[in-house]
Amino acid sequence: MKILPLASGSTGNALLVQENDTSILIDAGIGPRILKQRLASSGVALNDIRACLLTHEHSDHTQALARVTFPKSIKMVANAETWLAVEQQLDTSVYDFYELPVGNLINLGDLSVQSLPISHDGVNPVAYLVHAKSGKSFLYATDFGIMPKWFPHALKLADYVFIEANHDRQMLITGPYPSHLKRRVASPYGHLSNDQTAQILSKYLTPKTKKIYLGHLSQTNNTPQLALRTVSTALLNQGFDLNRLEIEAAAP
Ligand SMILES: [Zn+2]
Ligand SMILES: [Zn+2]
C-alpha cells in the first residue's frame, strides 16, 4: 500500500492511495496543474485512477472537479447528501456518481473503503478507512472538531494514519481571524487543534501504526514544526518509541 498526500490544508486537499495497479484519490480540492504534476511525479496518469472519494462538499476538498476533466471512467464516490451539495457548486453531469451511504463499504480493485461519520459543518461529512489486499489499513480523517466514537477502534486497525492537526490553539486565539471564524474553527463542527490531535493519538494509538501524516495545517494558525513538536512530545511522554513510528507534516 502506497500513500501519497498530493496537497493538504485549507487551500486544497487530495491524497492518492495505491495497491498494486489500483489507484484511488481521496478528495480533489486542488488545481488541475498541481494535481497532474503531483500525480505524474509518482508515475500516475488521471486515466489510471479508479475512483475519487469525497469526504465532504467544502471547496478545499472538491474544487478540482470543476476545473479538471476527469475521465468518465473514474467513479465519483460520496454519500447522497454530499453529492447533492457538490451538484449545487458545479456541473456534475459529466461524472459517474456512485452513492456510498455512511458506514458502507465499497470494493475498488485491490482496495476496499469504508466511510465513517465525523463531526464537521458539512452536510454529511465522513472519514475513510481503507483496507488493502495486502492486509494493510489506512485511516484518513480530516476536518472534524471532536473525536468520533468509532475512532479508537479504527485507529487500532490502521498501519498508516492521516489525521488533521489544524491549528495551534494560542495562535488561533491571538491570530487575525474574525471572531466568528475563530469560534467556527474551534467548535465541535470545526477542526482539531494540535493539542486535541496529540491527546487523541497519545491515548489511543497502538504500536500497529507505523506512520502518521499530520494534515490540514492552517497556514495562518499553525506551523509544521509546532504541529510535529506538539504531537511528538505527547507521544514520547506516553512512552512511544519514535524510532519506530514516523510522523510527517503533510505539505500544503
Ligand atoms: Zn471542511
Ligand atoms: Zn477542509
Side-chain angles (χ1 to χ4, degrees):
M1 185 185 232
K2 247 173 75 182
I3 293 150
L4 187 74
L6 303 174
S8 179
S10 40
T11 52
N13 298 276
L15 179 138
L16 182 78
V17 186
Q18 284 185 298
E19 173 79 352
N20 305 320
D21 59 358
T22 303
S23 298
I24 61 168
L25 264 184
I26 303 184
D27 283 333
I30 50 176
R33 201 170 46 87
I34 300 176
L35 178 67
K36 282 179 186 158
Q37 248 173 25
R38 298 203 177 156
L39 285 175
S41 67
S42 57
V44 179
L46 268 183
N47 278 315
D48 299 331
I49 294 169
R50 189 180 281 247
C52 173
L53 298 97
L54 303 175
T55 56
H56 64 298
E57 73 278 15
H58 290 162
S59 64
D60 58 317
H61 299 258
T62 58
Q63 62 182 313
L65 301 190
R67 297 162 66 193
V68 186
T69 322
F70 281 95
K72 199 131 192 179
S73 57
I74 302 181
K75 252 191 203 43
M76 292 294 157
V77 181
N79 57 61
E81 295 79 9
T82 295
W83 192 248
L84 200 65
V86 173
E87 276 176 343
Q88 284 157 13
Q89 300 166 18
L90 52 99
D91 175 18
T92 53
S93 64
V94 293
Y95 294 122
D96 177 24
F97 171 58
Y98 180 93
E99 184 188 343
L100 183 66
V102 179
N104 284 28
L105 193 88
I106 180 171
N107 290 311
L108 297 158
D110 289 347
L111 295 169
S112 65
V113 188
Q114 186 184 10
S115 83
L116 295 156
I118 49 170
S119 173
H120 188 58
D121 54 3
V123 286
N124 199 3
V126 298
Y128 287 114
L129 183 60
V130 185
H131 302 285
K133 205 176 176 186
S134 59
K136 299 276 191 229
S137 293
F138 168 55
L139 175 61
Y140 179 86
T142 181
D143 296 62
F144 58 118
I146 45 167
M147 189 189 76
K149 278 204 185 74
W150 53 261
F151 201 88
H153 177 68
L155 195 60
K156 217 184 286 175
L157 301 174
D159 300 273
Y160 314 105
V161 175
F162 184 104
I163 183 171
E164 79 167 340
N166 177 256
H167 58 277
D168 173 75
R169 207 185 301 261
Q170 206 51 39
M171 283 178 80
L172 177 69
I173 292 168
T174 57
Y177 275 16
S179 52
H180 70 93
L181 198 52
K182 289 181 183 183
R183 273 199 304 275
R184 185 222 151 209
V185 170
S187 82
Y189 299 97
H191 292 276
L192 290 186
S193 69
N194 294 340
D195 284 332
Q196 284 174 295
T197 303
Q199 269 170 23
I200 292 170
L201 290 176
S202 55
K203 191 159 179 194
Y204 297 110
L205 197 73
T206 73
K208 182 176 169 83
T209 301
K210 299 292 180 282
K211 181 157 187 178
I212 297 170
Y213 300 88
L214 299 177
H216 217 298
L217 270 63
S218 167
Q219 281 175 0
T220 309
N221 303 309
N222 208 355
T223 68
Q225 294 76 12
L226 204 48
L228 283 168
R229 196 170 64 223
T230 308
V231 170
S232 304
T233 305
L235 289 173
L236 273 173
N237 289 342
Q238 204 57 36
F240 278 90
D241 179 359
L242 294 192
N243 294 315
R244 299 181 60 185
L245 171 68
E246 205 181 330
I247 310 176
E248 182 182 303

